Amino acid sequence: MSDLARRLEDKLRTGEAHLGIVGLGYVGLPLSVEFATGGLRVTGFDLSAEKVGAVNRGESYIKDVPAARVKALVESKRLDASCDFDRLRECDAVIICVPTPLGKTKDPDLTMVVDAAKAIGERLKPGQLVVLESTTYPGTTEELILPIMTARGLKVGESFFLAFSPERVDPGNARYNTRNTPKIIGGMTETCTRVAKALYARAIDTVIPVSSTQTAEMVKLLENTFRSVNIGLVNEVALMCDRLGVDVWEVIEAAASKPFGFMPFYPGPGLGGHCIPIDPLYLSWKLKTLNYRARFIELAGEINSNMPDYVCEVVADALNEREKSVKGSSVLVLGVTYKRDIEDVRESPALDIIKILEGKGARVGYNDPYVPELHLDHTVMRSQDLISSVRAADIVVIVTDHSSYPYRDIVEAAAVIVDTRNATKGIRSPKIVKI
Ligand code: SAJ
């Protein structure tokens, strides 16, 4: 192991090391707080002066990160934030936590990763460790990041170190957080893995090394593809049960009684969030370049992205049963975030459902306690008062089953309800139509 690696490992072990985290979103901010709590000096970097200002004022804009923790770490000078990327030179290690969305053609968009890597590469100094956390296709770290880092002549594994470590944040999960969720680490060389392991040991209880960056990249994609495909399967089972006249929720609940070999997933209005609908497409895109067609991923994607249309068909049928057309009817959507008890609307199927129903001439409103206003294309909608809007609507659609909703009162006040989440479980009423 080179002297530089040994010195870095020592600084990480003693807590002298200064860590930079590029990207202060739902991954970067919790990570910054955990590493600062773990004893390192941490500087968060972001292009957003608003985020940087909030952190330096001791505020938190991420629901799972208590502002009190940020404030205490900022006051004790363990944590600060900056837009000045020249300060990356102060850091012994840098972690990249920027978004990896899809481009307009549904292909991977690694622009933010490359920009972050260039900002680091241009300032890279001997002895620094760089870790990519952004979810991406296998090969990204070696094929894209490594050349940027070696452009000025530094040698990976000797004069600088490079690894991949997938994020596993589950927004809104009260039980699993950054510290107690095991972390996978894959380095470009054994020394890279070793120093990356020393870094993460400062903040995370369980650190699991794997043999390469590609392996670590693939672990993450397997995790999220596993979810996307199983959600697609159970959404198709819902379509089957509808045709069979069988209650899919009862079927799943009974199947879940099997103590081995089964893991329940639940049908829903579609797949939301900025991970599960997107990450598997990074994998299928990469395999396409290797002349392989990832059929499960494509089929799951088709089924999941068709669920908003299916929900709107159920709404139309329910109105029709009451001799009403979609056109001219008032529809109230309950819950617009992509899953319950969070405030994130990215990729939420509720947005598709609202657009489809409006396209059919319905007058659509929504209520969501987490989303006071909703920007949809060029319009701004505002969350309506709950019970009065339920009472006034021709039909109510439960799209996101927030725990705070008074479902009995909603059923009482509604004319008819389409329930896409089994949120009204245990309430018997002819008004309820479940997918
Ligand atoms: N969904 C269903 N049926 C299910 C489970 C989920 O329709 O049985 C829907 C949800 O409503 C949501 C979407 O799928 O719209 C994604 O839900 P999710 O529970 O996978 O949550 P995410 O995307 O916020 O976070 C996931 C993490 N969640 C879990 O493992 C439970 C985890 O997979 C990743 O750490 C994270 O994505 C990520 O950042 O990759």
Side-chain angles (χ1 to χ4, degrees):
M1 193 156 112
S2 68
D3 284 350
L4 284 168
R6 194 166 290 108
R7 267 209 301 279
L8 174 58
E9 200 177 46
D10 290 346
K11 288 179 88 172
L12 288 166
R13 193 170 293 125
T14 59
E16 276 173 75
H18 185 173
L19 171 64
I21 293 186
V22 177
L24 292 175
Y26 84 97
V27 175
L29 184 61
L31 207 56
S32 300
V33 166
E34 280 308 340
F35 273 107
T37 304
L40 294 189
R41 171 101 175 69
V42 178
T43 298
F45 294 87
D46 203 292
L47 296 175
S48 158
E50 199 181 335
K51 285 196 171 81
V52 165
V55 170
N56 287 329
R57 288 192 301 273
E59 297 164 9
S60 172
Y61 42 84
I62 301 285
K63 191 163 162 284
D64 296 342
V65 179
R69 283 191 74 186
V70 179
K71 188 169 167 46
L73 291 166
V74 170
E75 286 175 351
S76 62
K77 307 266 186 263
R78 311 275 343 142
L79 172 66
D80 75 320
S82 175
C83 295
D84 175 8
F85 282 68
D86 278 338
R87 290 192 54 204
L88 283 164
R89 292 193 178 92
E90 300 168 18
C91 301
D92 301 295
V94 185
I95 302 176
I96 303 171
C97 305
V98 297
T100 47
L102 290 176
K104 293 219 180 327
T105 52
K106 296 279 179 214
D107 287 347
D109 175 2
L110 287 168
T111 316
M112 289 180 266
V113 166
V114 170
D115 289 350
K118 284 179 177 167
I120 298 162
E122 286 157 11
R123 303 169 174 89
L124 193 66
K125 59 182 195 185
Q128 266 183 329
L129 163 65
V130 179
V131 183
L132 176 62
E133 287 220 359
S134 307
T135 305
T136 183
Y137 59 81
T140 302
T141 304
E142 181 162 11
E143 297 161 16
L144 213 56
I145 310 301
L146 180 62
I148 294 172
M149 299 300 161
T150 54
R152 294 165 54 229
L154 291 178
K155 196 162 172 19
V156 71
E158 287 175 27
S159 49
F160 83 100
F161 313 100
L162 179 60
F164 182 84
S165 178
E167 57 90 1
R168 281 176 163 175
V169 174
D170 182 20
N173 190 319
R175 181 169 169 209
Y176 291 108
N177 52 49
T178 299
R179 172 164 285 281
N180 67 8
T181 302
K183 201 83 163 69
I184 302 297
I185 316 267
M188 282 301 303
T189 69
E190 276 187 29
T191 300
C192 295
T193 304
R194 180 169 165 161
V195 293
K197 202 165 177 291
L199 167 64
Y200 282 96
R202 296 293 319 192
I204 293 170
D205 297 341
T206 310
V207 179
I208 302 169
V210 293
S211 60
S212 69
T213 57
Q214 287 86 348
T215 305
E217 290 158 339
M218 188 61 186
V219 166
K220 174 67 179 178
L221 291 179
L222 171 59
E223 290 168 12
N224 283 6
T225 299
F226 166 77
R227 292 187 64 72
S228 166
V229 169
N230 277 287
I231 293 165
L233 168 65
V234 81
N235 279 331
E236 183 164 50
V237 168
L239 302 179
M240 296 175 190
C241 287
D242 180 38
R243 285 158 179 75
L244 292 166
V246 170
D247 180 338
V248 66
W249 304 97
E250 182 186 6
V251 168
I252 295 167
E253 189 170 349
S257 66
K258 183 180 178 191
F260 50 84
F262 182 79
M263 177 180 178
F265 285 84
Y266 300 94
L271 211 46
H274 32 284
C275 309
I276 306 304
I278 290 168
D279 299 345
L281 299 181
Y282 267 67
L283 182 57
S284 54
W285 175 86
K286 176 68 179 177
L287 270 295
K288 242 183 267 171
T289 69
L290 302 173
N291 294 323
Y292 183 82
R293 206 172 132 236
R295 285 159 292 173
F296 274 109
I297 292 174
E298 288 177 9
L299 180 57
E302 267 171 51
I303 291 170
N304 290 329
S305 49
N306 183 55
M307 290 310 282
D309 290 291
Y310 173 65
V311 168
C312 293
E313 283 167 26
V314 174
V315 169
D317 291 347
L319 285 169
N320 193 48
E321 281 300 303
R322 288 150 183 85
E323 294 172 2
K324 291 188 175 181
S325 64
V326 174
K327 189 166 185 171
S329 288
S330 66
V331 180
L332 180 69
V333 169
L334 292 189
V336 292
T337 57
Y338 76 83
K339 68 176 184 180
R340 75 163 77 97
D341 304 343
I342 64 165
E343 49 204 31
D344 197 340
V345 297
R346 280 178 289 183
E347 308 289 325
S348 172
L351 311 184
D352 300 315
I353 289 168
I354 291 171
K355 283 182 203 162
I356 294 166
L357 292 171
E358 284 184 338
K360 292 176 182 295
R363 288 175 288 114
V364 186
Y366 84 94
N367 168 280
D368 191 313
Y370 294 87
V371 185
E373 61 177 44
L374 184 64
H375 295 258
L376 210 55
D377 293 338
H378 309 296
T379 57
V380 179
M381 299 171 74
R382 277 178 186 71
S383 178
Q384 296 176 0
D385 172 76
L386 180 61
I387 295 300
S388 58
S389 309
V390 168
R391 194 166 283 121
D394 294 312
I395 190 166
V396 173
V397 194
I398 300 174
V399 176
T400 308
D401 51 336
H402 291 309
S403 312
S404 61
Y405 275 137
Y407 290 106
R408 285 192 184 285
D409 299 345
I410 291 167
V411 172
E412 181 65 37
V416 57
I417 294 188
V418 171
D419 180 357
T420 72
R421 298 284 194 173
N422 199 27
T424 57
K425 176 181 167 190
I427 304 173
R428 300 182 68 76
S429 165
K431 302 181 191 178
I432 300 172
V433 177
K434 285 187 190 174
I435 64 166

